[in-house]
Amino acid sequence: MEKKKVALITGVTGQDGSYLSEFLLAKGYEVHGIIRRSSVDYRERIAHLEGTPNFHLHYADMGDSMSLVKLVGKVQPTEIYNLAAQSHVQVSFDAPEFTADVDAVGVLRILEAVRTNHLEKTCKIYQASTSELYGKVEEVPQNEKTPFHPYSPYAVAKLYGYWIIKEYREAYDMFCCSGILFNHESERRGETFVTRKITLAAARIAQGKQDCLYLGNLDSLRDWGYAKDYVECMWLILQHDTPEDFVIATGVQHTVREFATLAFHYAGIELRWEGEGINEKGICTSGPANLVGKTLVAVSEAFYRPTDVVNLWGDPTKAKTELGWNPQTTSFEQLVQIMVNHDMQKVAADHVASVMRTNLAEYLEKGIVK
Ligand code: NAP
Ligand code: F7E
């Protein structure tokens, strides 16, 4: 009889952690996730999984070795997916030391937790590596052999994670690998990443809840995929015969401006772009009558980074041929549409909820509701 597969996911409350949990539960895994203490219990992305028999949550922290050693010993995972990170590139300039502790040394803590519990021959490890390693890119498109040139504190921390995984693979013969994932987005994406910031703003502007969206570098190029498609690859990487690193990307590139144009289009608004650099504006040419002629997108220096990665474009050939993964399951257009449709509904629902709250307050005051 096949041994039960037990997965431990760090970063389970994040975008990828939530999709990966669903994916592994559907495959019959026992799934354990690490959560950290916070003053607000914010587990929106996995709330629907809580109470599922094979789904377990534990308190630990990537900055706390003892908590990781104890948890790995208790859970005895057969696969670890190390997704936990301070994952916002711009924030890494403001909190570089914390980013290094979690995103670099955190990886080492996981590796050592496995070794301390003598699981190095039975537990495979997936490391959430990133296209940010290519940074100030030295070639396009980027593949597994492209030289790295990290260009932010986040990327430098992730580079340590990449190399320490490779080192432990060679030094201790451990099955540990990095997935070099290009940007992947979804309706669960954090609201300060550019795609979600745009889809939420497009929905709010279309519904009269926001006047203007302020962005940074509109020329930045990204290879954007759908997070739900990418978590399958994390799993496939650990099912491969040999431990290897893989680039996961769609192979298609777009600018931030193109993303915004399409998102507003799906929200019922057409934009025309005028001006350059800091003076560029997205003006409404058709849509709700009160918006036509207005500037709906403008550029703000606040969203420029000290160093910015501007030309990411992945070559997923290895993942396609060796893992049998399809990089085009969800197209760019479908991705933008999924996110906008979701946010149009969310904004409308938030509006209804706030009207209901206002009405309730009024009814309570007038004694209509007791
Ligand atoms: P995310 O939504 O920001 O989630 C990050 C997760 O890490 C959250 O669950 C967060 O917990 C947890 N975390 C942060 N600090 C922690 C700590 N000290 N101890 C324990 N947990 C901690 O990120 P994501 O988009 O799902 O990305 C998953 C991973 O892939 C990250 O490592 C990211 O760097 C990497 N990556 C992402 C992309 C992408 O495009 N999404 C591309 C390449 C690589 P809280 O919920 O408590 O904050
Ligand atoms: O920025 C530009 C910004 O913050 C994308 C993380 O998941 O993917 C993500 O990192 C681009 C950058 O993602 C705004 O300058 C313009 O060039 O959405 P982002 P990111 O930095 O690519 C990688 C692969 C990861 O590993 C990370 O964990 O968009 N941009 N205007 C803006 N970016 C933001 N956030 N906000 C703006 O207003």
Side-chain angles (χ1 to χ4, degrees), residues 87 89 130-131 154 183 189 192 194 197 216 220 222 305 308:
S87 74
V89 174
T130 167
S131 52
Y154 168 79
N183 297 56
R189 184 59 143 153
T192 58
V194 78
K197 183 174 164 181
S220 191
R222 286 292 183 276
R305 298 172 182 183
D308 197 14

Side-chain angles (χ1 to χ4, degrees), residues 150-304:
Y151 214 34
S152 65
Y154 168 79
V156 173
K158 283 283 187 178
L159 187 64
Y160 176 89
Y162 173 88
W163 280 110
I164 202 71
I165 285 282
K166 199 165 157 54
E167 176 57 25
Y168 274 51
R169 183 160 76 211
E170 289 170 18
Y172 304 117
D173 198 23
M174 289 169 73
F175 196 114
C176 44
C177 332
S178 290
I180 306 174
L181 270 58
F182 282 62
N183 297 56
H184 44 282
E185 317 295 313
S186 74
E187 59 275 35
R188 296 185 194 169
R189 184 59 143 153
E191 296 180 10
T192 58
F193 294 96
V194 78
T195 55
R196 189 76 199 289
K197 183 174 164 181
I198 293 171
T199 59
L200 264 173
R204 286 197 190 112
I205 290 172
Q207 295 180 41
K209 302 275 161 220
Q210 185 174 329
D211 295 328
C212 185
L213 164 65
Y214 292 93
L215 293 172
N217 185 1
L218 297 173
D219 291 317
S220 191
L221 285 156
R222 286 292 183 276
D223 178 330
W224 279 297
Y226 188 30
K228 213 172 182 174
D229 300 338
Y230 282 37
V231 297
E232 182 195 8
C233 256
M234 299 177 183
W235 176 76
L236 284 171
I237 289 172
L238 291 195
Q239 313 315 308
H240 195 54
D241 295 341
T242 47
E244 288 178 39
D245 305 325
F246 288 85
V247 160
I248 308 299
T250 68
V252 183
Q253 217 187 13
H254 292 276
T255 60
V256 170
R257 187 185 298 98
E258 284 166 350
F259 191 103
T261 307
L262 196 58
F264 276 85
H265 167 76
Y266 288 131
I269 295 168
E270 302 304 326
L271 292 178
R272 181 185 76 236
W273 296 92
E274 267 183 30
E276 272 180 31
I278 196 80
N279 297 315
E280 187 164 355
K281 293 184 179 0
I283 297 164
C284 176
T285 56
S286 84
N290 61 326
L291 296 183
V292 175
K294 288 202 171 140
T295 296
L296 303 185
V297 185
V299 175
S300 163
E301 269 176 11
F303 302 109
Y304 276 89

Side-chain angles (χ1 to χ4, degrees), residues 96-117:
E97 188 181 342
F98 173 73
T99 304
D101 191 40
V102 175
D103 298 14
V105 185
V107 186
L108 179 67
R109 292 188 184 108
I110 287 289
L111 289 162
E112 280 298 315
V114 169
R115 291 190 66 228
T116 306
N117 285 291

Side-chain angles (χ1 to χ4, degrees), residues 13-16 36 61-62 83 85 87 154 158 184 189:
T13 54
Q15 171 189 257
D16 293 4
R36 56 181 176 157
D61 196 290
M62 294 306 289
L83 311 185
S87 74
Y154 168 79
K158 283 283 187 178
H184 44 282
R189 184 59 143 153

Side-chain angles (χ1 to χ4, degrees), residues 9 27 46 57 72 98 127 147 164 187 207 224-225 317 362:
I9 304 178
K27 287 226 167 279
I46 52 166
L57 297 176
V72 168
F98 173 73
Q127 165 59 14
I164 202 71
E187 59 275 35
Q207 295 180 41
W224 279 297
T317 308
E362 187 188 323

